[in-house]
Amino acid sequence: MDISRDGDLSAVPDGWGKADTAVYGWVLEQGRLDEPAVAAGLGLREEEVRQALARLTASQLIRRDPRDPAEGFAVSPDVARAELAAPVRSRIRQVEEELDRAQKELDHFSVEYLRHAKRGNGQFRLIGNMLEVRVALTQASERCTEEVLSSQPGGGSRVVEAMGEALARDRAILERGVRMRTLYHHTARFNGPSQAYVAAASEFGAQYRTAHELFGRLIVFDRELAFLPLNDGSRGAVAISEPSVACYLADVFEQTWTHATPFADAASQGFGEVAQEIDQTILRLLAAGLKDEAVARRLGMSLRTARRHIADIMEQLGAESRFQAGVAAVQRGLLDAGEICAPVADGAGAGCTSTEA
């Protein structure tokens, strides 16, 4: 609903010309709206006068005599503003009454929702779906006064369509003086949309760094409220307002931030150097006994991409097994001997296989 049209506020121009001011002054003094007389008195063309009178009349600054269009008078801007505002304020009151009514009706379900939400407690609130998570994050962003810390694994998968909305939200936060720091995987540096987003948000003061491995998805507001993803595949979250836990999670972020690298696209750093760093990290994770799925998750890449890297590494090292790849990597100085897991007796896996699936 366009409230401005209810009160004809759209009739007030964004800017006034010299002719408008001159005509308004002439009508104030003469008390007449005769176009030829106005044009002659001001040295303007009649078309200019006609257009100026139309704008002034629509804006309630000039009133014509309904019995004689050439007669009329000018009123003060305060009178014009009051008359324009009256229908708008009436509509605002009506909308507020409708909102109050709707709120009272929706409150009917509050008891049931709160009962359901008590799967957590006051300091650990479970949010079961993405829509409610987005609302909760928006509310937390609006209340935030100092800093937002964010770990975004798989940063290279940023959806292009959502970038404009996210950038507008981040800009609003940053322009309030709130600091914003975000961690991405190194793989985000290969992603064009992520590069563009970081470049744009950095102009407003946001800071970005990347790391080969991240501890998981996390957002912390003012070290007082943290959001972690649920592990049930629902895309929900748990909102944590317990001070000690929120501060602990912020400290975890700080440790990774300290060792992370300022964001730079792969081209500026050198594609070869970035790819080599990623391959070395994959090799270390394989040597530690992690499965393909865990490697992909830790590095923020798809399983298919991770397996392609693994196959390339195995081929480059001339290895047929991961243990052989680890031995070859030690021989070439790529790994320390202590980083390799020894194979178990039945050959089913590595002796130090990680519990991470």
Side-chain angles (χ1 to χ4, degrees):
M1 181 177 299
D2 188 346
I3 292 180
S4 66
R5 292 190 179 276
D6 291 342
D8 292 329
L9 296 181
S10 60
V12 180
D14 292 333
W16 296 98
K18 291 182 179 180
D20 298 314
T21 305
V23 171
Y24 177 75
W26 195 93
V27 176
L28 272 176
E29 293 180 3
Q30 304 297 327
R32 299 187 63 228
L33 278 68
D34 181 57
E35 293 173 6
V38 177
L42 296 175
L44 298 173
R45 293 181 291 107
E46 286 192 27
E47 180 61 25
E48 289 182 285
V49 172
R50 186 176 300 109
Q51 293 177 358
L53 286 173
R55 287 190 291 269
L56 293 166
T57 302
S59 300
Q60 302 294 329
L61 286 166
I62 284 180
R63 313 299 169 86
R64 290 184 181 272
D65 187 334
R67 295 167 299 181
D68 185 356
E71 299 295 326
F73 58 93
V75 301
S76 75
D78 288 340
V79 171
R81 181 167 50 248
E83 294 199 3
L84 287 170
V88 176
R89 287 177 175 150
S90 175
R91 181 57 186 150
I92 289 174
R93 286 193 296 271
Q94 182 181 347
V95 171
E96 288 177 340
E97 291 172 359
E98 292 175 359
L99 283 172
D100 288 342
R101 181 197 61 78
Q103 183 62 55
K104 290 177 182 178
E105 293 299 324
L106 293 173
D107 282 345
H108 173 77
F109 299 94
S110 295
V111 173
E112 182 66 17
Y113 179 82
L114 291 174
R115 183 188 67 78
H116 176 75
K118 286 183 179 179
R119 291 182 296 164
N121 58 41
Q123 296 178 317
F124 296 85
R125 182 165 64 96
L126 300 183
I127 307 173
N129 60 77
M130 177 56 69
L131 178 59
E132 288 193 77
V133 171
R134 291 176 62 183
V135 171
L137 288 173
T138 298
Q139 292 174 341
S141 298
E142 292 171 349
R143 291 193 295 264
C144 184
T145 60
E146 296 182 7
E147 186 173 50
V148 181
L149 307 176
S150 177
S151 171
Q152 300 290 347
S157 60
R158 180 177 292 278
V159 178
V160 178
E161 291 75 10
M163 287 178 59
E165 176 185 347
L167 185 60
R169 181 179 62 247
D170 290 351
R171 179 177 182 177
I173 295 173
L174 292 162
E175 288 181 343
R176 298 203 318 266
V178 176
R179 299 186 303 277
M180 180 175 291
R181 290 185 287 159
T182 300
L183 285 167
Y184 284 148
H185 275 118
H186 278 333
T187 49
R189 293 184 288 178
F190 289 94
N191 183 264
S194 291
Q195 295 168 11
Y197 185 89
V198 169
S202 296
E203 290 291 323
F204 305 127
Q207 299 178 56
Y208 295 87
R209 293 187 180 182
T210 63
H212 286 301
E213 300 178 67
L214 290 178
F215 44 82
R217 194 171 300 277
L218 167 69
I219 304 178
V220 184
F221 296 91
D222 290 340
R223 292 178 173 264
E224 295 177 349
L225 175 63
F227 288 84
L228 295 174
L230 296 179
N231 62 358
D232 59 2
S234 65
R235 301 188 70 189
V238 55
I240 303 170
S241 57
E242 203 290 318
S244 297
V245 177
C247 285
Y248 176 83
L249 292 170
D251 288 341
V252 171
F253 174 95
E254 293 288 0
Q255 291 177 21
T256 304
W257 180 266
T258 299
H259 296 95
T261 305
F263 190 102
D265 63 78
S268 64
Q269 183 179 349
F271 286 106
E273 180 182 346
V274 176
Q276 184 177 6
E277 291 178 1
I278 292 175
D279 284 350
Q280 187 168 4
T281 302
I282 291 176
L283 182 58
R284 181 169 54 79
L285 295 176
L286 292 176
L290 270 67
K291 297 179 181 179
D292 295 354
E293 292 82 356
V295 171
R297 184 166 59 251
R298 293 273 285 268
L299 296 183
M301 61 177 61
S302 68
L303 179 59
R304 181 177 180 179
T305 300
R307 284 176 170 164
R308 186 172 65 247
H309 277 281
I310 292 170
D312 290 343
I313 292 171
M314 300 283 282
E315 182 178 354
Q316 290 172 17
L317 294 175
E320 296 181 359
S321 69
R322 297 184 181 193
F323 180 71
Q324 289 179 355
V327 172
V330 170
Q331 292 172 344
R332 298 187 187 189
L334 300 176
L335 290 177
D336 294 330
E339 294 182 275
I340 307 176
C341 293
V344 296
D346 61 5
C352 59
T353 298
S354 168
T355 57
E356 182 175 358

